[in-house]
């Protein structure tokens, strides 16, 4: 039956959802009110149509500037650099950081063909004078590629005279920032060190 | 940000997907080509608009009769009664059964307010003379409610003079037919007994 197979196939493309889970989800949706599937479909379409990168920090937003960039209570001179927008949500949950962000859009990964030009590093360098940034906290993941990316970002920033710090290794090496708990993230922020 | 929260909320309604997984899926979709989200949305809408219960057996189908009811090679006199349409897929994977099906649409559950009139039992009774059914295999789940439903169905069928059998307890008691492996389902079908 093509409609069931089609939805199962699309759901199985999602990370962490195998073929059998996808089939179970499909049958679950068929047992629910059709409105639930329609709401989910509408939310998907709205998402891809309205959510874009913030023109300043590349966080995801429905406006030109994200809510963190327009929040005057946040310290514009302190910028936390992360790999992905999802990492911002994780750091915000920790409630420790009151500065702004910069989303690189990934990490340096020569094997995957991701070089400096594929990340928003040039935009970050331009922000340092524009936004009068005093300190950049590099919060890329504590993985091999995340560390290499941090080192690259630090070397690019060094000539600009800005203080560059690295989030402390309170995070388990090889782990993923997005899954870290708030307390660990808060401690890692407090114990940040100069690079 | 409402579009991200909306999709996260809708995804978190699905069984087995918590708030954090839903958020991760949302950010995953934002990193993918927008076409992937659109295809998923389209598959959801197509599903709820085209898939309906088979007018004879209540299996899910895009036509008036499902592909199993229209397959002339299947034995119409042998009917396997299941709780949900998803159970048919599980039994078909076992490759043991060559008869037809009848989907009850759930199980008797007084606590949840599900009584005999909420299931397709009347339609099953009407099928016995209409389709000249010789044997009904009751393959409701081997749970407390599934057994109670099986007993009720058997008592309703008894006056019609049809043979009523119960799928063997090769399935672990308390288990879920949908997750059983093919070999177990095949053995359970072979060892069916009269009720």
């Amino acid at each position: 039956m093509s409609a069931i197979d089609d939805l199962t196939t699309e759901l199985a493309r999602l990370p962490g959802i195998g073929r059998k889970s996808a089939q179970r989800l499909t049958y679950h949706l068929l047992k629910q009110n059709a409105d639930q599937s329609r709401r989910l479909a509408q939310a998907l379409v709205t998402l891809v149509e309205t959510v874009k990168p913030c023109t300043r920090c590349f966080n995801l937003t429905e406006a030109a500037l994200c809510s963190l960039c327009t929040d005057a209570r946040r310290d514009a001179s302190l910028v936390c650099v992360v790999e992905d927008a999802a990492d911002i949500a994780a750091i915000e949950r920790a409630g420790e950081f009151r500065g702004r962000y910069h989303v690189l859009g990934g990490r340096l990964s020569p094997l995957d063909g991701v070089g400096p030009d594929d990340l928003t590093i040039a935009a970050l360098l331009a922000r340092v004078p524009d936004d009068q940034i005093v300190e950049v906290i590099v919060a890329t993941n504590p993985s091999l590629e995340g560390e290499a990316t941090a080192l690259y970002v630090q070397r690019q920033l060094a000539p600009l005279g800005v203080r560059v710090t690295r989030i402390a290794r309170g995070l388990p090496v090889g782990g993923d920032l997005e899954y870290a708990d708030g307390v660990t993230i808060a401690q890692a922020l407090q114990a940040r060190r100069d690079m």
Side-chain angles (χ1 to χ4, degrees), chain A:
Chain A
M1 225 181 329
S2 65
I4 289 180
D5 287 344
D6 285 353
L7 181 58
T8 302
T9 301
E10 291 301 332
L11 287 171
R13 281 189 220 281
L14 298 174
I17 298 185
R19 184 88 201 161
K20 214 161 182 176
S21 298
Q23 192 171 51
R24 188 166 167 77
L25 289 172
T26 300
Y27 281 112
H28 170 84
L29 285 167
L30 281 166
K31 276 200 276 186
Q32 307 300 308
N33 189 308
D35 284 345
Q36 182 176 348
S37 295
R38 289 211 182 85
R39 277 200 312 273
L40 178 53
Q42 188 54 55
L44 284 159
V45 171
T46 304
L47 183 80
V48 298
E49 284 176 358
T50 65
V51 178
K52 310 281 176 219
C54 170
T55 53
R56 183 183 292 158
C57 78
F58 300 93
N59 182 19
L60 296 166
T61 175
E62 295 178 40
L65 285 176
C66 75
S67 58
L68 296 165
C69 280
T70 53
D71 185 347
R73 291 165 303 178
R74 299 192 73 110
D75 183 355
S77 71
L78 180 62
V79 168
C80 181
V81 173
V82 293
E83 294 180 16
D84 292 310
D87 297 331
I88 293 182
I91 293 175
E92 286 299 297
R93 275 197 297 275
E96 172 73 18
F97 183 66
R98 299 302 304 159
R100 296 209 172 137
Y101 291 93
H102 191 87
V103 179
L104 291 176
R107 73 220 73 175
L108 293 178
S109 177
L111 287 176
D112 299 323
V114 180
D117 294 344
D118 299 310
L119 306 180
T120 65
I121 294 171
L124 173 64
L125 301 181
R127 281 182 69 185
V128 172
D130 289 358
D131 298 349
Q132 298 181 297
I133 295 173
V134 173
E135 177 180 351
V136 173
I137 304 174
V138 184
T140 53
N141 284 318
S143 64
L144 213 63
E145 290 172 342
E147 294 291 356
T149 307
L151 196 63
Y152 183 87
V153 168
Q154 185 265 327
R155 283 183 183 161
Q156 298 294 306
L157 288 167
L160 303 180
V162 67
R163 184 180 175 208
V164 183
T165 54
R166 178 85 174 104
I167 196 169
R169 281 182 182 275
L171 299 167
V173 173
D176 194 331
L177 191 68
E178 193 178 335
Y179 283 134
D181 63 281
V183 177
T184 307
I185 292 178
Q187 288 178 344
L189 279 164
Q190 281 160 356
R192 67 184 185 269
R193 54 180 172 75
D194 285 304
M195 285 178 75

